[in-house]
Amino acid sequence: MGIKTVKRHGDTLRDKLYIPAIVSGMKTTMRHFVTNIKDNSNLITKSYPEVQPTDITDRYRGVHRLTKREDDSISCVACYMCATACPADCMFIEATERTDGVDEKMPAVFNIDLLECVFCGYCVEACPCDAIRMDTGIFSFVADQRKDFILSKEALLANTRSKDFSDD
Amino acid sequence: MEFAAVVIIFINILLAVNLAVGTTPIMVWWERRVSGFMQGRSGPNRAHIGGIRLGGLVQSVADMIKLAFKEDFIPAFIKHKMFFIMAPVIMFICSFLTVGVIPFADRLVIDGVTYTMQALPIDLGILWFLAFAGLSVYGIVLGGYASTSKFGILSSIRAIAQVISYEASMGLAIISMLIVYGSVNLSDIAEYQGGLLFGFIPAWGIIMQPLAALIFIVAAFAETNRAPFDLAEGESELVAGYHTEYSAMRFGLFQVSEFAAMSAASALIVTMFFGGYQVPWLNTQALQENINIVLFAMMIILPATIYFFTQWIKKNNTWVDENDPRAKESKILIKIFKGIAIAVVVILALLLLFGLGTNGTNIATAMIQVSTFLLKFFLINFFFVWIRWTLLRFRYDQLQLLGWKVLLPLALLNIVITATYVLVLGA
């Protein structure tokens, strides 16, 4: 046992000269420069709007969608669980009676304000009917007006599971 | 005045102006794209005029137009409005005038009359550079002081302390070079470097005086406020330093003068240490004697270079969307470059066929030398950019330590060694 002396860095002549370290750093940057300029496809970044990302994982929480039953009708029973769980208060649901005999209740209005939404996924967790999901893989949404960011029931039903994701 | 004299003076002034100011968009473009490639990203490559992107150069033009048309805003709390307005102008003029004494080619003889190939016909040379390089810091100081802002004044203090520290070692490095060259005139200095050392190495400044070259290059980085010595605008501490309060074209002028100072420093580094306009192993006389061989070599090398460049364009200058005008750019550029290659070959072949005459030989030599100078100039500018994206900014005490405790003694030692060598050997 005894005191262990740790050798400090920067004491050698090589370190004090700076030049070898500078040269090795410049070699690194030049290597990157040469590989990238020789063949631009080596660049890590993508030419984004034209080249879309393909590496979005299955767990990614994108824009919501409303699922459908096997007979292509809406799964949602307008129980308000999602709207209750929502920490951002971005869901606006109005229930109505369901007359086609499949179930008793369904939403007349189901709006999600994407400008309010924090994409926490609590609505998906809260749903007892697996009626709302966030597996569309849509990560980018743009519009000219604020009201265009409010997705209606029809828009949510029209969204589908992302093709890049593996099947259930 | 003779017609030839007017043309030559005009060309020289045009070259100097373009090296000082015209290179700014190119340097901004290089700075952004080179840094991009070094960091694995692409840099600006989308802006286009009718599909022509020129590898992103159009972005610089767009940025300049934007700066020029922005509102020229002076904050209400600025009391010394005249100093505030003068500061970028002083900095710009000082950086701009420096390029005037750089020789772009050897003295040109036309019909027995000799013309110097520099924009300002003065013999001060290196002294002119020292004077204006020192003066340009007044722009920073005035700008920082007149900004009535703590960031500005701190930046001014840093800039002036830095320039004082590094001007000393820079001057001493230059003195050892002057002992070697025996002249302050940059034309003489460049002419001297056309010789050969031991009969086979070009007698460039960097080979004769590597230590002085190193000190001068480091000090030039500090003088031009470039990384790793850009403490005056250390954005992590001082927002933007002396140009925090500036906007629109006043800020643009600061930016232009920064790049003009960089260009001036590279032009001087080329002239002092990298043989100026001299083609290695081919000084002016050798060029003039072997002009036919040189032209023939160019006739082969230039189209070959253009061929490889077009191959590179075909491979790399692509656009994913077929219908976008940018997708057609490569074809247009390749056509233009092929046209240039054919034109070059035809012109050179005609020159070789019909012979050049004395004036023609001299002019061709001058043109080759100007191209050589420009090539070296852009390489050194690339070096500036390369250093900037490699090295981290110095801490302030480290900066002063390097200036006073390392560079200054080394410069003094170098003078003593050089002077002793020259005295003892009488060389």
Side-chain angles (χ1 to χ4, degrees):
Chain A
M1 292 295 284
I3 298 166
K4 188 189 174 193
T5 318
V6 179
K7 205 181 171 308
R8 291 188 80 90
H9 284 290
D11 277 354
T12 56
L13 180 71
R14 193 186 141 86
D15 289 341
K16 279 183 180 166
L17 270 178
Y18 287 124
I19 309 278
I22 289 175
V23 169
S24 76
M26 288 176 73
K27 252 170 33 195
T28 307
T29 41
M30 190 40 109
R31 199 179 61 235
H32 282 270
F33 179 74
V34 170
T35 46
N36 287 328
I37 205 164
K38 255 192 197 160
D39 188 355
N40 283 4
S41 60
N42 286 331
L43 290 172
I44 296 160
T45 52
K46 301 226 160 34
S47 183
Y48 162 58
E50 295 87 23
V51 184
Q52 291 285 333
T54 51
D55 52 352
I56 295 177
T57 61
D58 290 10
R59 295 181 58 193
Y60 182 79
R61 295 196 294 268
V63 171
H64 320 66
R65 74 180 172 107
L66 287 177
T67 56
K68 289 169 185 164
R69 290 166 204 251
E70 275 168 18
D71 61 353
D72 249 19
S73 65
I74 188 164
S75 314
C76 181
V77 294
C79 65
Y80 292 92
M81 292 278 236
C82 49
T84 313
C86 183
D89 284 344
C90 70
M91 308 179 97
F92 309 98
I93 306 168
E94 280 171 28
T96 184
E97 198 176 332
R98 191 158 182 170
T99 52
D100 57 1
V102 180
D103 221 321
E104 292 159 11
K105 243 169 107 189
M106 62 182 256
V109 177
F110 196 110
N111 285 347
I112 295 179
D113 189 348
L114 290 180
L115 293 180
E116 296 280 344
C117 180
V118 293
F119 294 90
C120 61
Y122 284 6
C123 47
V124 180
E125 299 296 323
C127 186
C129 306
D130 193 18
I132 185 164
R133 287 199 190 177
M134 294 176 82
D135 57 359
T136 55
I138 300 172
F139 57 88
S140 143
F141 33 93
V142 279
D144 297 332
Q145 289 168 306
R146 275 164 185 270
K147 66 176 184 196
D148 293 344
F149 284 100
I150 300 172
L151 294 187
S152 64
K153 184 175 86 175
E154 287 70 34
L156 288 166
L157 276 169
N159 282 346
T160 51
R161 185 180 170 83
S162 169
K163 288 184 194 72
D164 297 335
F165 292 177
S166 62
D167 290 327
D168 293 294
Chain B
M1 236 196 294
E2 293 277 322
F3 176 69
V6 174
V7 170
I8 287 168
I9 290 168
F10 183 73
I11 287 173
N12 279 323
I13 291 175
L14 204 69
L15 267 175
V17 170
N18 271 320
L19 283 195
V21 189
T23 49
T24 306
I26 298 176
M27 286 299 111
V28 172
W29 169 55
W30 275 26
E31 191 105 75
R32 297 177 70 183
R33 294 229 66 178
V34 170
S35 68
F37 283 140
M38 281 174 181
Q39 297 166 351
R41 58 192 171 83
S42 129
N45 64 350
R46 307 189 71 87
H48 67 108
I49 303 170
I52 300 294
R53 298 181 285 162
L54 299 176
L57 186 57
V58 174
Q59 181 72 49
S60 310
V61 179
D63 286 344
M64 266 186 17
I65 293 170
K66 175 221 166 196
L67 272 184
F69 285 99
K70 254 179 105 168
E71 186 195 355
D72 185 14
F73 181 73
I74 300 180
F77 55 78
I78 281 162
K79 297 191 183 66
H80 306 285
K81 279 217 168 58
M82 201 180 82
F83 291 163
F84 187 78
I85 293 165
M86 266 168 60
V89 179
I90 290 177
M91 200 175 157
F92 174 71
I93 288 178
C94 292
S95 325
F96 174 59
L97 282 178
T98 321
V99 189
V101 289
I102 305 289
F104 303 118
D106 204 350
R107 293 181 181 87
L108 181 57
V109 182
I110 288 179
D111 296 333
V113 190
T114 313
Y115 303 97
T116 38
M117 287 294 282
Q118 53 194 45
L120 297 171
I122 42 178
D123 295 331
L124 295 170
I126 193 82
L127 301 177
W128 178 268
F129 170 81
L130 276 181
F132 278 105
L135 210 59
S136 71
V137 80
Y138 277 88
I140 297 181
V141 172
L142 263 187
Y145 168 70
S147 290
T148 335
S149 121
K150 283 175 187 133
F151 298 129
I153 205 83
L154 279 171
S155 149
S156 300
I157 294 166
R158 282 183 176 192
I160 205 146
Q162 183 181 322
V163 165
I164 289 171
S165 323
Y166 280 79
E167 196 122 280
S169 13
M170 187 190 225
L172 291 174
I174 286 174
I175 286 176
S176 55
M177 294 315 292
L178 295 187
I179 294 173
V180 174
Y181 295 134
S183 167
V184 291
N185 190 339
L186 290 171
S187 287
D188 295 345
I189 289 175
E191 210 174 304
Y192 183 97
Q193 294 179 79
L196 289 176
L197 216 60
F198 311 123
F200 64 97
I201 310 170
W204 288 4
I206 192 161
I207 289 159
M208 291 188 291
Q209 289 276 345
L211 193 59
L214 183 69
I215 295 167
F216 184 85
I217 290 170
V218 172
F221 273 82
E223 286 271 321
T224 51
N225 273 313
R226 289 281 303 182
F229 302 109
D230 55 348
L231 288 127
E233 44 190 305
E235 69 277 339
S236 49
E237 307 111 39
L238 297 178
V239 188
Y242 54 92
H243 54 64
T244 309
E245 309 293 342
Y246 284 85
S247 63
M249 208 51 211
R250 284 193 217 293
F251 164 74
L253 215 51
F254 267 131
Q255 204 71 5
V256 169
S257 48
E258 195 193 310
F259 284 108
M262 178 176 132
S263 297
S266 349
L268 201 74
I269 289 171
V270 168
T271 316
M272 294 261 297
F273 299 106
F274 290 91
Y277 49 75
Q278 301 281 7
V279 187
W281 294 289
L282 276 175
N283 59 17
T284 315
Q285 215 188 344
L287 258 182
Q288 280 164 353
E289 278 165 8
N290 306 313
I291 191 76
N292 283 339
I293 300 168
V294 173
L295 288 185
F296 188 69
M298 275 169 66
M299 212 167 105
I300 295 163
I301 293 168
L302 281 178
T305 322
I306 289 176
Y307 172 74
F308 284 115
F309 188 56
T310 48
Q311 292 299 103
W312 181 86
I313 288 179
K314 213 181 269 175
K315 189 176 166 196
N316 288 306
N317 196 28
T318 51
W319 194 261
V320 180
D321 184 9
E322 288 284 316
N323 300 318
D324 197 278
R326 282 170 277 203
K328 296 176 190 81
E329 188 200 9
S330 286
K331 274 182 193 160
I332 300 170
L333 283 186
I334 286 170
K335 263 180 204 157
I336 290 172
F337 276 112
K338 275 183 183 160
I340 290 174
I342 291 166
V344 164
V345 170
V346 167
I347 289 171
L348 287 178
L350 284 178
L351 285 180
L352 282 175
L353 262 181
F354 294 105
L356 276 164
T358 328
N359 281 347
T361 310
N362 289 348
I363 290 171
T365 313
M367 277 170 76
I368 292 168
Q369 285 177 338
V370 169
S371 321
T372 316
F373 178 83
L374 288 179
L375 187 69
K376 289 177 182 174
F377 169 82
F378 280 114
L379 281 179
I380 296 289
N381 265 335
F382 178 81
F383 180 73
F384 267 79
V385 174
W386 181 13
I387 283 278
R388 171 163 179 184
W389 297 98
T390 304
L391 298 185
L392 305 174
R393 190 175 289 139
F394 274 72
R395 204 173 61 207
Y396 198 72
D397 61 323
Q398 290 172 337
L399 173 99
Q400 295 291 2
L401 201 105
L402 181 70
W404 291 110
K405 284 191 177 169
V406 180
L407 291 185
L408 193 71
L410 275 180
L412 285 169
L413 183 76
N414 195 31
I415 290 181
V416 171
I417 293 172
T418 316
T420 318
Y421 182 84
V422 170
L423 258 185
V424 171
L425 292 181

